[in-house]
Amino acid sequence: MIPDTAGPVVEVSDLTRRFGELEAVRGVSFDVDEGEIFGFLGPNGAGKSTTINMLCTLLRPSSGHAAIAGFDVETHESDVRRSIGLVFQETTLDERLSAEQNMRFHGMAYGMDPRERKKRTDLLLEMVELADRRTTRVDRYSGGMKRRLEIARGLLHRPRVLFLDEPTLGLDPQTRRRIWDYLLDLREREGLTVFVTTHYMDEAEHADRIAVIDHGQIVALDSPSALKASLGGDRLTLSTADDAAAAVQIGELLGEQPVLDDGVIVQVSDGAAALPSLLRQMTVPVERIEMRRPTLDDVFLAVTGRQMRDEETSEKDRLAATMAGRMRGRHP
Amino acid sequence: MSTQSDTLGSGLLRSETVRGIWVVGYREVVRFISDRSRIIGSLFFPLLMLVVFGAGFSQLIGTVADGVNYVQFLYPGILAIMVLTSSLQAGISVVADREYGFLREILVAPLSRTGIVLGKTAGATMQALLQTGLLLILAPLLGVSLSPGRVLALIPIIAVLSTGLSGLGLVLASFIRSQQAFQLLGQVVIFPLIFLAGVFFPVNQVSAAVEVISKLNPLTYGVDAVRQVLLGGADTAALGVTIGDYTTTLAVDLAIVTVMSAGLLGLAIWAFNRRD
């Protein structure tokens, strides 16, 4: 085994997975660098889980390649497994055992030296603030405590990459923030690489880079700020005494033709800088201004045609979306 | 892979199969021991059968063969049932682990699938041995005499039988997704297996159809092996399994059970090594 120290920690090239006729992942390629927080977003059924399952060796690719820390997921299964820590959407703790026993099982399964295991267990339980509850059975834990324990457990064997699938789903905002604090802190202290899927766009903002997958293909891949900038910058909406006249003026001043829709709407790359001079030069009286920076929700909507929020809605809507996808001749 | 400074233990634990057996088996035993209600609960059914069938049929039947009354005849069979139900626990625990999510933690760990199957099997076999041990305490009360030799002879028989039946449980678990479905199918599998294994009646003394099916049931030979040990091989012509003119000996019983166990365990290993 030749552990890779240079180069990307996760390398994915042309990865494809078919289930019979259905092509769930269609030629996906991306790299994740050491110490990076990589956000992996996409609507339900877009191929997120299938991709993660291939990266963590639970599913064989139909074609293409993926490597973790330089180890191929197909030929070096065991090395890949040692290089990754996993926190799944549903809890994978043994709830009848205590936190400590769960950690012990994990350390044993990964063949850790007992002394190292104990030392690291102490450290990690301290970090996620569960040290005083270490002998409590996990079924007495709250959802947030379980999630923290899973993060600690996922880090026990010193993985190079921590995969988190919806780590904060169903948790209250305060707990969600705390979990992100741990992750950011870990990246800072241990140079940990984090691969995370989430439905919460405010969380996706923490990522260094984001990949959006839809219909089994990567449809956007860049830093959050670059993705937002790609939408054409800030959106200004002005209500004026005479919108038609204002639109002509704005068009001349900014060199960008505004749209009239319940106000004058125009896009500029940096709204905060453009506004003062615009207002100074305009002669039509302005009554009201609204400036909106594009959010990741806007990015998601632009590249997938769907709102991220919709993804949290009912099964019925999901079925409808699936059906629509089928009718468009695409797979869910 | 191991260097000379390694102790034998840590060297062996480098193997993903050995580590799988050790870690998964260890967890099964820890969970079993920490769950007293399960130990007591699992003894309830065999005890009930002994009391109900024993008391009910003893008067009616009297002796089954020379010097063997019905309770003495029944008792080894009940031990075998105990082994069957605690072995199927291996399958139930996989289904439960899957439902509660823990199976994923096991499957993504650097452990071989074969090791995981063998670990679950080892855990269930330990349980079977422990529960049989508890049930053996009753033997003197029922007029079944125990000797160290008999107890020692029972250990390999029960271990082999339990290994195979754990394999059966794991094969079922490889395609059954919910605990309810497993319990249901468990009943469908368990009851015919038990009723047609010569637990309640000697298979040589029943109607032809039942006799044929019983003699095709591998569990019959497991029951007979336990019975031959505990009853000191009393009147095997009447109580044992006779095919044509041949009455199976303990060694033949054990050979049949071993073949069955190897087959079921192999099937379980195959089922768990399949990967999408």
Side-chain angles (χ1 to χ4, degrees):
Chain A
M1 57 184 228
I2 312 137
D4 188 5
T5 44
V9 188
V10 180
E11 296 160 88
V12 178
S13 73
D14 209 18
L15 197 65
T16 300
R17 172 66 206 208
R18 281 178 289 273
F19 295 100
E21 288 287 287
L22 196 142
E23 209 169 20
V25 174
R26 310 197 277 174
V28 161
S29 301
F30 60 85
D31 287 344
V32 180
D33 289 322
E34 181 103 61
E36 187 174 29
I37 293 184
F38 189 81
F40 197 54
L41 314 181
N44 282 319
K48 267 183 307 183
S49 300
T50 307
T51 306
I52 292 187
N53 281 341
M54 286 191 279
L55 293 181
C56 67
T57 76
L58 282 176
L59 203 61
R60 273 184 207 287
S62 302
S63 67
H65 289 285
I68 311 276
F71 300 116
D72 190 286
V73 294
E74 281 188 274
T75 56
H76 290 74
E77 207 172 276
S78 168
D79 293 316
V80 169
R81 290 175 179 198
R82 282 170 198 284
S83 307
I84 59 177
L86 291 155
V87 178
F88 293 110
Q89 198 169 326
E90 313 84 25
T91 165
T92 63
L93 296 163
D94 187 339
E95 304 211 355
R96 292 212 270 173
L97 300 181
S98 66
E100 208 172 59
Q101 285 171 317
N102 269 288
M103 295 293 265
R104 186 182 308 146
F105 178 90
H106 188 88
M108 283 164 68
Y110 283 75
M112 287 178 79
D113 170 66
R115 255 169 314 170
E116 158 87 354
R117 183 189 77 219
K118 283 182 195 123
K119 226 174 70 189
R120 210 157 151 76
T121 298
D122 291 345
L123 181 90
L124 288 165
L125 287 182
E126 197 69 52
M127 185 198 86
V128 297
E129 296 166 78
L130 288 172
D132 53 336
R133 305 293 300 275
R134 57 193 295 159
T135 54
T136 307
R137 264 171 64 139
V138 173
D139 51 11
R140 308 234 173 85
Y141 276 21
S142 68
M145 288 165 75
K146 285 180 193 168
R147 205 30 60 96
R148 271 143 59 198
L149 175 58
E150 288 194 290
I151 291 174
R153 187 185 63 179
L155 293 169
L156 186 62
H157 58 284
R158 295 184 182 278
R160 297 277 300 279
V161 195
L162 184 64
F163 283 86
L164 302 127
D165 191 8
E166 300 285 353
T168 56
L169 197 70
L171 300 179
D172 61 87
Q174 202 188 343
T175 311
R176 280 169 49 193
R177 194 159 341 115
R178 234 161 120 196
I179 284 179
W180 272 100
D181 286 343
Y182 297 134
L183 293 177
L184 295 169
D185 185 45
L186 273 164
R187 190 259 296 266
E188 206 63 43
R189 280 197 299 184
E190 304 198 4
L192 183 73
T193 308
V194 177
F195 185 105
V196 61
T197 74
T198 180
H199 270 124
Y200 299 110
M201 283 300 142
D202 53 328
E203 294 184 356
E205 296 277 359
H206 291 300
D208 298 307
R209 280 191 308 147
I210 289 172
V212 181
I213 184 168
D214 194 22
H215 300 293
Q217 287 174 313
I218 303 274
V219 290
L221 173 60
D222 215 325
S223 68
S225 55
L227 284 175
K228 285 182 282 187
S230 72
L231 293 186
D234 301 339
R235 196 168 88 146
L236 301 178
T237 307
L238 295 89
S239 302
T240 62
D242 181 354
D243 284 352
V248 175
Q249 276 193 347
I250 293 169
E252 280 166 8
L253 291 167
L254 295 178
E256 176 97 19
Q257 204 45 56
V259 180
L260 281 169
D261 179 19
D262 200 15
V264 188
I265 302 168
V266 65
Q267 265 185 331
V268 290
S269 58
D270 188 350
L275 257 183
S277 72
L278 182 67
L279 288 180
R280 230 179 6 249
Q281 294 173 61
M282 274 178 71
T283 54
V284 181
V286 177
E287 289 156 0
R288 204 183 125 80
I289 303 170
E290 195 186 291
M291 183 174 94
R292 201 167 146 272
R293 305 224 120 122
T295 62
L296 282 175
D297 280 305
D298 298 326
V299 173
F300 195 83
L301 179 65
V303 295
T304 67
R306 271 167 285 179
Q307 292 274 9
M308 197 66 188
R309 291 283 138 224
D310 296 346
E311 295 306 319
E312 283 169 87
T313 53
S314 67
E315 184 73 9
K316 207 174 94 189
D317 291 349
R318 245 183 62 203
L319 271 176
T322 308
M323 294 308 289
R326 292 235 168 92
M327 281 187 268
R328 283 200 304 272
R330 293 165 128 178
H331 297 296
Chain B
M1 286 279 259
S2 61
T3 62
Q4 280 186 320
S5 63
D6 275 338
T7 62
L8 180 65
S10 71
L12 275 176
L13 287 178
R14 292 270 175 92
S15 149
E16 298 197 340
T17 303
V18 175
R19 205 168 60 237
I21 300 170
W22 164 238
V23 177
V24 174
Y26 169 83
R27 169 172 171 262
E28 293 300 311
V29 173
V30 167
R31 279 173 60 119
F32 179 68
I33 291 171
S34 63
D35 196 352
R36 274 184 217 99
S37 59
R38 204 166 99 200
I39 303 179
I40 293 167
S42 60
L43 287 172
F44 177 74
F45 186 56
L47 286 177
L48 188 75
M49 282 208 275
L50 269 176
V51 170
V52 171
F53 286 95
F57 290 123
S58 282
Q59 303 301 317
L60 216 64
I61 297 170
T63 57
V64 187
D66 251 1
V68 178
N69 68 27
Y70 187 67
V71 173
Q72 289 167 327
F73 170 80
L74 183 63
Y75 176 69
I78 299 292
L79 278 187
I81 292 179
M82 170 101 261
V83 174
L84 172 67
T85 49
S86 49
S87 302
L88 287 181
Q89 196 62 44
I92 295 173
S93 81
V94 167
V95 176
D97 282 348
R98 191 186 287 126
E99 262 185 22
Y100 295 120
F102 191 75
L103 190 66
R104 267 192 134 175
E105 155 83 353
I106 300 174
L107 293 182
V108 296
L111 303 171
S112 83
R113 297 287 162 96
T114 304
I116 295 170
V117 168
L118 294 177
K120 285 281 181 191
T121 306
T125 302
M126 292 295 291
Q127 283 175 42
L129 285 169
L130 208 122
Q131 295 192 333
T132 326
L134 287 174
L135 214 53
L136 276 179
I137 296 169
L138 284 182
L141 297 175
L142 303 172
V144 175
S145 67
L146 288 179
S147 66
R150 284 184 180 179
V151 174
L152 279 179
L154 276 183
I155 292 174
I157 296 172
I158 286 169
V160 172
L161 188 61
S162 176
T163 300
L165 296 171
S166 304
L168 174 67
L170 291 170
V171 171
L172 296 180
S174 72
F175 60 87
I176 296 174
R177 301 281 140 175
S178 83
Q179 286 192 76
Q180 281 101 322
F182 193 97
Q183 302 283 9
L184 199 72
L185 195 76
Q187 313 280 320
V188 173
V189 172
I190 287 176
F191 282 105
L193 269 180
I194 291 175
F195 286 123
L196 298 170
V199 171
F200 301 100
F201 42 77
V203 291
N204 284 345
Q205 300 175 29
V206 286
S207 65
V210 174
E211 184 183 342
V212 170
I213 301 171
S214 295
K215 286 176 180 174
L216 287 174
N217 177 2
L219 190 61
T220 300
Y221 301 90
V223 171
D224 190 47
V226 177
R227 187 170 284 140
Q228 287 204 27
V229 169
L230 283 179
L231 301 184
D235 202 355
T236 48
L239 303 179
V241 189
T242 307
I243 298 159
D245 292 334
Y246 179 73
T247 301
T248 58
T249 61
L250 181 57
V252 170
D253 282 342
L254 196 55
I256 293 172
V257 173
T258 306
V259 169
M260 168 198 79
S261 292
L264 286 170
L265 190 61
L267 204 60
I269 290 172
W270 171 80
F272 274 76
N273 274 296
R274 272 179 313 166
R275 197 162 61 113
D276 300 318

